Amino acid sequence: MAGSPEDSRATRPPRPSTVFAYIIRRLIGAVILLFVVSLVTFSIFFLVPRIAGASVEDMASRYVGKTADAETIRQMAEKLGFTDPLLTQYGRFISAIFVGADYSTGPTTVHCPAPCLGYSFITQNPVWPDLVDRMGVTISLAVGAAVIWLLLGISTGVLSALRRGTVFDRAAMGVALAGVSLPIFFTGLLSLTIFSYGLGWAVPGGTYVNFADDPLAWAGALILPWVTLAFLNAAGYARLTRATMLETMNEDFIRTARAKGLNERTVVVKHGLRSVLTPIITIFGLDLGILLGGAVLTESAYSLPGLGAYAINAIVNNDLPKVLGVTLVGATFIIIANLVVDLLYAVVDPRVKYS
Amino acid sequence: MRKQRLVTMVAAGAAAVMTLSACGGGGGSSNNNNKGGGNPSATGPNAAIGKVFNPSDKKGGTLRMANAGDWDSLDPGDTYYAYSWNFIRLYGRSLMMFASAPGQDGAKLTPDLAESKGVPSEDLKTWTYKIRKGVKFDDGTPVTSKDVKYGVSRSLDKDTFPNGPTYFNEFLDLQGYTSPYKDSDPNGLGLKAIETPDDQTIVFKLKKPFADFDYFAGMPATMPVPKAKDDGTKYKEHVVSTGPYKFEKVELGKSFTLVRNTNWDQATDPNRKALPDKITMQLNVNADDLDNRLMSGDLDVDVVGSGVQPAAQAKILADPNLKNASDNPLSARLWYTNINGEVAPLDNIECRKAVEYAADRTGYQRAYGGNAGGEIASSLLPPIIPGAEKIDLYPSKDSAGDVDKAKEALTKCGQPNGFETNISYRAERPKEKATAESLQQSLGRVGIKLNIKPYPTGDYAKLYAGKPDFAKSNNLGLMVFGWAADWPNGFGFLKEITDSRNIKAAGNTNFSIKDPKVNDAIDKAMTEKDENARQKAWVDVDRKAMESAYALPGVVAKGLYYRPKNLTNVFITDGFSEYDYLALGVSG
């Protein structure tokens, strides 16, 4: 086990300049990736239907009322720019991100400032401010739940591994299995029925208070979604932690640590747990990224006005600019989360280098 | 188990409170002067149908409402949902409105911003209204006929306001006018089809005679809009009120709050009681959670007004206490199936009649949840529409279909062994899927083989079944569909689904009914001056449509509504087939 955590040579932090260069490289990669995501998403919404045989009028017909005639639909298609070549449309979308765009509201014109991620012609609103507005809810939900599930999942997993085969282990793993198996739209509604409408301990669905307005009420409103969401994820983490921990505790370096006469607590926490963290961080990065992109089911079960619920409404209403905007923001979160995870590897596992 | 016990607990609690409030009801200081009477202690299922449940004049409190989806728009010129037209009367005043009264009285038009009903010219092409004096916007500015004209003019601009109905576009003598935003008149009042000889008078000029214009005058588009405050698509975020409530806060896609409009004067308004002090609306609420919150007393009204979800329906029907707090009214909505005459062999009327005879309508009803879901229909016009008559041209024992008659018709159309065709339905609607399957079975009895084709709900009318070219080239012989009246009268229900002259290249509401005899009957009905004769003329349109066998009526919809204990002055209005939002108050 060359390069085990005991190897003092490797615990030196990487040189800042190397890390900086690495980050720059990754950021450039991220921008290219986002560009590709935007191109693919744009194609799915605007190119694929055309290939499938939809006319520009067919596409515009989603943005007119139910009694519109052919003339109105044609005018709407022109207004939305669907009659322009696709490349021009894509160029317009990309340029709006950097320099903004103007949209007519009837008597006046609204400027959608950069980064303008499109303009919803159904709600008549630029997409970006909507997303910013809803991000607070999603971040609150994601971060709170993540803290709970990490603490709960990892500690349960470690304890289960250390007490393998005991009643605690079996019970915890049984509950964990239930946690991964039960869908949130079921546990969500059930928890609301019991704790909110039955016992009156929690607020009803659809309640959200800004953190800045009242931190206590903010936490109070989110505790139920946090716990439900955390339960779902904690279960997976507990099972993963338990499995990795069991594997790690049989490794040579653990035996070495014990042989050196370290107490069991140090062995478990400092040596064992540290190697368990690498796989945990890997999936945590992905999970958190996905969650920030919109905890779709949780938000709709609890009627929270976050990015996930926004995405669902956009899809239901065929509001393509919104779907495009949410997709890009979600992709950004996942890319950032992955970058952070890669950087964290160095802190947790000294074998990782960025040169 | 635990869940069931909980529900029982909640239900028992609700029942107890209801009984208590009923006991205390008589001793209150409120005097009940509601039309329709209504016994304050009357509870039980359907206690709010045809009469007022828990009548009250007590003001105050907050009415908490929620919507499982998003509003199309709060702008009076851009909205087309029945619930929205019901609700909008709280913050806006149109020339005419549906009276706030239970049952059929609620489907009658009464003057609102206008002093009296419209005065038509002899040829029914010019309609004049006088506007009430003393009505003000919420900033205190008096309302004039020019504000009404401006409101209607801007609603014509379908580029800016695509959601609203297009009746004014079709009927007003526009002479090429499209929008006040493209108007050379600096006040945006260049539209010649509407005249405002003085501040209290407004005159509408139509290009064709129309006897029911008062219904148009009741559309939200006739609510006054002050030009100075109009910023087109953004106006919906700060609509200027003329009703008893004004907007305190609007958060698009999330919620809005209405509070009392201090510039509303009860003396100018005989139609509104304005009981609650405040009205809150949450948008995009999980539909099942919404039902749970209604039953737990955390919410007062599901504003969409189409009834509870299947999960809550099962709970309510199984529990007598919950059932006592529910209403199950008929609505002006029909679930039916179009029979496409453009697809062979359905181009032969006898083949279409074979479908009418062979269909088992009890199966259709089961698809919509049995008795609680609706009543079996035998023609298009729902019975709650004033003047509607029972027409049953293709009768069968217990509505289960007449196989012999169907076979006879098949022989007459030269397909004695039946034929094969496709049936389409909206993919996201399980009830329509069940309908298609039920028809597949019952038509199969006479050799008519149906292949089932689902298409996405959102584009069903625009890209699939409602697009004649697509329907024809894909052999969609039968197309499952549904229709609700714009207004509960013959014109409001039948015009959009029976007039073949309305059929467009895509986005239709009439998928199949193409018969000149029906069109002639429509023209006759639209110009009939006498109201009773007019109602009969629309029944004739219904009969002619059924004679041509282009539509297979299925079920007249019924919704199951839960009535929380907190609500006062509750009743179903036939004007909108849902609770009358203008009348509601709260006791808690």
Side-chain angles (χ1 to χ4, degrees):
Chain A
M1 278 310 288
S4 78
E6 285 305 288
D7 191 339
S8 62
R9 180 171 44 84
T11 45
R12 263 199 321 249
R15 274 185 301 146
S17 61
T18 329
V19 176
F20 187 69
Y22 175 78
I23 294 178
I24 293 292
R25 245 192 355 259
R26 284 292 301 266
L27 282 178
I28 293 171
V31 170
I32 296 172
L33 193 56
L34 277 178
F35 178 75
V36 173
V37 169
S38 79
L39 194 67
V40 171
T41 333
F42 188 87
S43 304
I44 290 173
F45 293 130
F46 295 95
L47 178 65
V48 174
R50 295 291 292 278
I51 294 172
S55 65
V56 287
E57 284 83 3
D58 289 341
M59 294 178 66
S61 68
R62 293 168 174 154
Y63 298 90
V64 295
K66 57 183 173 185
T67 53
D69 56 15
E71 176 63 14
T72 314
I73 298 176
R74 179 78 205 164
Q75 280 170 4
M76 189 55 87
E78 278 168 23
K79 183 183 166 189
L80 302 185
F82 288 168
T83 47
D84 297 336
L86 275 167
L87 213 57
T88 317
Q89 291 182 49
Y90 181 67
R92 206 161 39 217
F93 173 72
I94 293 295
S95 83
I97 297 179
F98 296 103
V99 297
D102 289 327
Y103 296 94
S104 157
T105 68
T108 51
T109 301
V110 190
H111 182 65
C112 171
C116 178
L117 285 184
Y119 184 89
S120 159
F121 293 98
I122 293 179
T123 54
Q124 299 290 348
N125 244 0
V127 173
W128 176 246
D130 273 358
L131 294 177
V132 172
D133 182 38
R134 281 156 174 82
M135 237 175 253
V137 179
T138 303
I139 290 175
S140 302
L141 176 67
V143 172
V147 168
I148 299 178
W149 95 55
L150 276 180
L151 290 177
L152 206 70
I154 296 177
S155 53
T156 312
V158 170
L159 283 179
S160 268
L162 295 180
R163 298 180 186 172
R164 187 180 181 187
T166 61
V167 177
F168 172 83
D169 179 29
R170 283 169 197 207
M173 287 305 111
V175 173
L177 187 65
V180 251
S181 319
L182 291 174
I184 196 117
F185 51 80
F186 174 73
T187 45
L189 282 177
L190 191 67
S191 70
L192 276 172
T193 310
I194 296 173
F195 297 107
S196 182
Y197 313 130
L199 301 168
W201 293 353
V203 294
T207 315
Y208 179 76
V209 183
N210 277 325
F211 179 77
D213 294 347
D214 185 348
L216 263 183
W218 168 81
L222 285 169
I223 190 77
L224 218 48
W226 278 345
V227 171
T228 324
L229 186 54
F231 177 52
L232 182 84
N233 281 295
Y237 282 71
R239 287 160 64 86
L240 179 71
T241 310
R242 181 179 179 273
T244 325
M245 194 74 185
L246 282 174
E247 205 179 303
T248 311
M249 293 310 279
N250 287 327
E251 296 273 5
D252 290 344
F253 72 88
I254 294 289
R255 211 171 305 137
T256 313
R258 282 193 179 128
K260 282 201 300 192
L262 295 173
N263 68 25
E264 189 61 16
R265 192 193 166 97
T266 317
V267 172
V268 171
V269 177
K270 237 182 133 184
H271 300 269
L273 196 54
R274 195 165 179 184
S275 3
V276 172
L277 285 182
T278 313
I280 295 284
I281 285 177
T282 313
I283 60 164
F284 178 69
L286 278 176
D287 283 349
L288 192 65
I290 291 169
L291 212 56
L292 287 170
V296 174
L297 293 175
T298 315
E299 283 176 13
S300 46
Y302 288 96
S303 315
L304 291 170
L307 292 178
Y310 185 76
I312 295 249
N313 292 332
I315 292 165
V316 168
N317 296 320
N318 256 324
D319 203 342
L320 300 186
K322 282 185 180 175
V323 183
L324 207 55
V326 166
T327 311
L328 279 182
V329 168
T332 312
F333 278 134
I334 292 175
I335 290 170
I336 292 176
N338 271 309
L339 178 58
V340 172
V341 165
D342 287 352
L343 291 172
L344 276 180
Y345 281 152
V347 180
V348 175
D349 188 345
R351 285 169 294 182
V352 177
K353 293 203 181 96
Y354 294 112
S355 48
Chain B
M1 269 309 275
R2 186 193 288 182
K3 196 175 166 196
Q4 207 170 14
R5 206 180 313 146
L6 234 153
V7 170
T8 321
M9 262 165 51
V10 172
V17 176
M18 249 167 37
T19 319
L20 285 175
S21 64
C23 292
S29 59
S30 62
N31 57 16
N32 307 315
N33 61 353
N34 289 285
K35 262 194 258 172
N39 176 357
S41 60
T43 57
N46 297 329
I49 297 179
K51 54 189 181 291
V52 184
F53 174 77
N54 212 0
S56 164
D57 279 344
K58 185 177 155 279
K59 297 206 177 205
T62 299
L63 180 65
R64 301 156 304 169
M65 303 175 100
N67 184 339
D70 205 350
W71 224 267
D72 52 353
S73 172
L74 292 170
D75 190 319
D78 199 28
T79 180
Y80 205 173
Y81 285 129
Y83 73 79
S84 173
W85 289 17
N86 183 358
F87 184 88
I88 205 169
R89 298 177 299 166
L90 290 161
Y91 63 85
R93 296 183 68 178
S94 46
L95 291 171
M96 302 289 292
M97 67 179 263
F98 281 125
S100 183
Q104 292 230 332
D105 288 342
K108 287 183 183 151
L109 286 167
T110 181
D112 185 10
L113 188 58
E115 278 177 355
S116 57
K117 290 190 170 186
V119 180
S121 62
E122 188 54 33
D123 63 359
L124 295 175
K125 284 167 79 174
T126 306
W127 287 78
T128 307
Y129 293 85
K130 286 276 181 196
I131 287 169
R132 272 183 221 273
K133 288 195 174 112
V135 181
K136 292 173 184 161
F137 287 112
D138 61 33
D139 60 1
T141 328
V143 169
T144 72
S145 57
K146 293 186 177 59
D147 301 314
V148 179
K149 174 175 176 175
Y150 186 73
V152 177
S153 301
R154 69 197 276 285
S155 80
L156 299 171
D157 184 342
K158 292 298 159 204
D159 255 7
T160 313
F161 305 111
N163 298 318
T166 50
Y167 292 112
F168 282 126
N169 300 64
E170 287 155 30
F171 280 75
L172 285 178
D173 184 17
L174 295 178
Q175 301 167 19
Y177 189 90
T178 55
S179 163
Y181 308 134
K182 296 170 191 156
D183 197 336
S184 56
D185 181 294
N187 295 316
L189 294 171
L191 174 63
K192 295 201 170 57
I194 303 177
E195 290 171 0
T196 50
D198 61 59
D199 278 357
Q200 306 305 128
T201 310
I202 185 160
V203 185
F204 294 88
K205 296 189 160 175
L206 313 185
K207 56 185 172 200
K208 50 190 168 189
F210 181 47
D212 267 334
F213 188 80
D214 275 341
Y215 283 94
F216 288 4
M219 287 194 291
T222 68
M223 289 176 182
V225 174
K227 178 164 191 299
K229 300 278 174 70
D230 179 25
D231 44 6
T233 56
K234 297 284 162 195
Y235 182 68
K236 66 179 176 187
E237 295 170 36
H238 52 85
V239 175
V240 184
S241 156
T242 43
Y245 297 94
K246 63 177 179 182
F247 287 94
E248 183 185 54
K249 192 172 81 171
V250 178
E251 289 189 291
L252 288 183
K254 289 186 189 170
S255 65
F256 58 83
T257 311
L258 294 172
V259 290
R260 287 197 184 279
N261 168 13
T262 47
N263 278 303
W264 172 76
D265 182 359
Q266 177 83 69
T268 68
D269 196 337
N271 301 310
R272 293 166 173 84
K273 283 189 179 181
L275 298 184
D277 285 339
K278 192 173 183 178
I279 298 160
T280 60
M281 179 75 66
Q282 268 191 304
L283 304 174
N284 291 314
V285 174
N286 179 297
D288 285 311
D289 185 38
L290 204 165
D291 291 339
N292 284 336
R293 287 172 67 183
L294 282 178
M295 288 186 274
S296 74
D298 181 62
L299 265 181
D300 301 318
V301 181
D302 169 8
V303 75
V304 173
S306 56
V308 297
Q309 304 299 311
Q313 178 163 332
K315 247 189 256 179
I316 291 170
L317 293 178
D319 184 328
N321 289 321
L322 292 173
K323 199 174 173 188
N324 278 340
S326 71
D327 297 297
N328 191 202
L330 263 183
S331 68
R333 176 188 289 277
L334 176 76
W335 301 113
Y336 71 106
T337 297
N338 288 282
I339 308 178
N340 193 351
E342 301 288 309
V343 171
L346 294 165
D347 49 355
N348 184 325
I349 186 169
E350 291 300 332
C351 277
R352 297 201 294 275
K353 282 185 180 171
V355 173
E356 303 268 5
Y357 276 120
D360 176 358
R361 295 200 173 97
T362 61
Y364 215 124
Q365 189 188 31
R366 269 197 304 281
Y368 282 88
N371 281 328
E375 274 179 10
I376 291 175
S378 57
S379 72
L380 299 173
L381 211 51
I384 72 160
I385 288 186
E389 286 173 22
K390 173 100 179 153
I391 300 170
D392 193 0
L393 302 184
Y394 312 100
S396 62
K397 191 166 178 290
D398 300 329
S399 302
D402 188 330
V403 174
D404 295 336
K405 286 258 190 183
K407 283 184 176 159
E408 250 174 61
L410 280 175
T411 312
K412 275 191 211 163
C413 94
Q415 304 278 346
N417 299 320
F419 54 88
E420 188 172 341
T421 191
N422 296 328
I423 180 166
S424 68
Y425 72 92
R426 287 175 277 197
E428 292 90 334
R429 301 196 174 195
K431 290 172 182 171
E432 294 198 354
K433 181 171 187 250
T435 300
E437 286 165 353
S438 156
L439 287 176
Q440 187 183 43
Q441 225 167 29
S442 60
L443 267 53
R445 297 183 297 186
V446 296
I448 302 174
K449 184 172 179 292
L450 296 182
N451 304 311
I452 297 181
K453 305 260 178 190
Y455 296 105
T457 305
D459 290 330
Y460 193 67
K462 282 165 179 169
L463 304 183
Y464 305 105
K467 188 177 181 184
D469 282 352
F470 182 91
K472 193 177 176 186
S473 59
N474 286 275
N475 264 335
L476 302 183
L478 300 183
M479 298 174 278
V480 183
F481 196 48
W483 182 249
D486 281 356
W487 306 287
N489 76 344
F491 175 87
F493 190 85
L494 287 175
K495 175 80 164 68
E496 291 293 316
I497 57 166
T498 58
D499 192 333
S500 67
R501 294 160 296 188
N502 286 353
I503 297 180
K504 300 165 282 197
N508 287 299
T509 43
N510 178 4
F511 291 6
S512 62
I513 301 173
K514 292 170 196 164
D515 184 350
K517 281 195 216 119
V518 175
N519 296 348
D520 292 345
I522 291 173
D523 288 344
K524 197 159 163 275
M526 280 176 51
T527 49
E528 175 57 61
K529 284 183 186 168
D530 176 70
E531 189 166 350
N532 285 329
R534 193 155 69 232
Q535 287 177 356
K536 288 227 175 325
W538 282 109
V539 172
D540 192 43
V541 174
D542 189 12
R543 183 173 290 111
K544 291 217 160 49
M546 287 315 300
E547 281 168 359
S548 67
Y550 284 114
L552 169 69
V555 179
V556 182
K558 282 165 86 177
L560 185 67
Y561 301 77
Y562 185 76
R563 182 183 352 105
K565 56 186 185 291
N566 195 33
L567 284 182
T568 65
N569 237 17
V570 198
F571 56 84
I572 298 280
T573 160
D574 282 2
F576 302 102
S577 303
E578 53 197 22
Y579 291 129
D580 186 309
Y581 302 145
L582 201 52
L584 291 176
V586 283
S587 59

